[in-house]
Amino acid sequence: MPKKLKWGLIACIAFLLSIIGLGLVTQLHTDQASHVITGQKRPLMLIAGSNSQRDDFDQLIKTLNGSQPHPVINVTVDKDLKVSSTATRVKHTQFNDSFIVIFFENSDDTNDTIIEQTKGLANAVTYLQKHYKLTTANALGYSNGGLIFSRYLAGMASSNPLAIRDLMLVGTPFLGTSESQPDDTLYKPLLAKKAKFKSLHTVINIAGDAGDGDDHVVPLSSVTAGSKLFMNEATRYNAMTINQKDINHGNLLQENYLARLVRQNLLNQ
């Protein structure tokens, strides 16, 4: 083989090897960056509303797990406000990737129950701090679950509540479920303590509207009353309405749109 041809082949092979090596390095960097993006910075705590069931968040979690599986910690607060838990682990995940579902055995739809549940949430947080080393979280409160989180963060059950960064409220009845006779029993104390919400980075307040100004249970005016609590207190406040003819309060958690909002605003934040 002529020397010129031989050295030309060697130069081509060296060039191709350098291109392949650069591609591998780039892919490795991309994979590492992807891992950083998909790892959550804090777990997500979830509380449902009145007459809740243990499986209320199952469909939402299933949808969110479609792109990346998450470990789940199921916390039970019994009628005496004692706390227990079970955990489902997922390989190659950290505690911060967890969904923490808090279930109250007593979830009757009364103001007194919500007050008791707020104390139960404080007990659950203490339990999680002790058993799982919980230090911070994002949170989603559905229906009365939003009231429970709001009361807890306002310091109504703990003088030193957990540091929640981002809070999503879904169909939360701040003024009850009657537009003509709003109930401000739980709302007025929150207004008096709204400065406590300055610790929040983002609050997203979501309502449902079937076309008549409500979701067949909670009036829009009751949900949007949350603006007076969080706007100009939290660093960022967004109010959103899911407008759908067939929507109702009971299926708000099953909306694919809601899953997208959770993924965009509560995961990896």
Side-chain angles (χ1 to χ4, degrees), residues 42-48 57 100 102 121 125 136-155 161-172 174 190 193-194 196-207 223 226-227 229-231 233-240 258 261-267 269:
R42 49 189 60 79
L44 174 60
M45 300 177 69
L46 305 105
I47 297 179
F57 289 107
I100 302 174
I102 300 179
L121 174 56
V125 168
T136 183
N138 290 334
L140 185 155
Y142 162 61
S143 194
N144 285 345
L147 284 169
I148 296 166
F149 270 126
S150 299
R151 287 177 49 79
Y152 171 76
L153 293 171
L162 181 73
I164 298 291
R165 184 183 190 270
D166 299 326
L167 173 66
M168 182 175 290
L169 305 163
V170 182
T172 298
F174 288 105
L190 288 173
K193 291 181 175 288
K194 66 178 183 177
K196 296 283 187 179
F197 301 133
K198 291 185 183 297
S199 63
L200 291 164
H201 178 266
T202 300
V203 175
I204 301 171
N205 191 17
I206 300 171
V223 176
S227 64
L229 300 175
F230 301 105
M231 189 181 293
E233 301 297 339
T235 304
R236 182 164 66 99
Y237 175 79
N238 288 336
M240 302 180 184
L258 178 66
L261 289 176
V262 171
R263 187 177 288 112
Q264 293 167 2
N265 295 280
L266 296 181
L267 304 187
Q269 299 299 320

Side-chain angles (χ1 to χ4, degrees), residues 47-52 77 81 104 106-122 142-153 156-157 171-177 183-187 189-190 218 222 249:
I47 297 179
S50 60
N51 303 311
S52 59
V77 181
L81 304 187
F104 296 93
N106 178 18
S107 59
D108 293 343
D109 190 11
T110 69
N111 289 338
D112 287 342
T113 298
I114 293 169
I115 292 170
E116 281 296 294
Q117 288 175 308
T118 307
K119 297 175 185 176
L121 174 56
Y142 162 61
S143 194
N144 285 345
L147 284 169
I148 296 166
F149 270 126
S150 299
R151 287 177 49 79
Y152 171 76
L153 293 171
M156 295 181 182
T172 298
F174 288 105
L175 291 174
T177 58
D183 180 1
D184 61 5
T185 305
L186 301 178
Y187 186 67
L190 288 173
V218 180
S222 185
H249 189 73

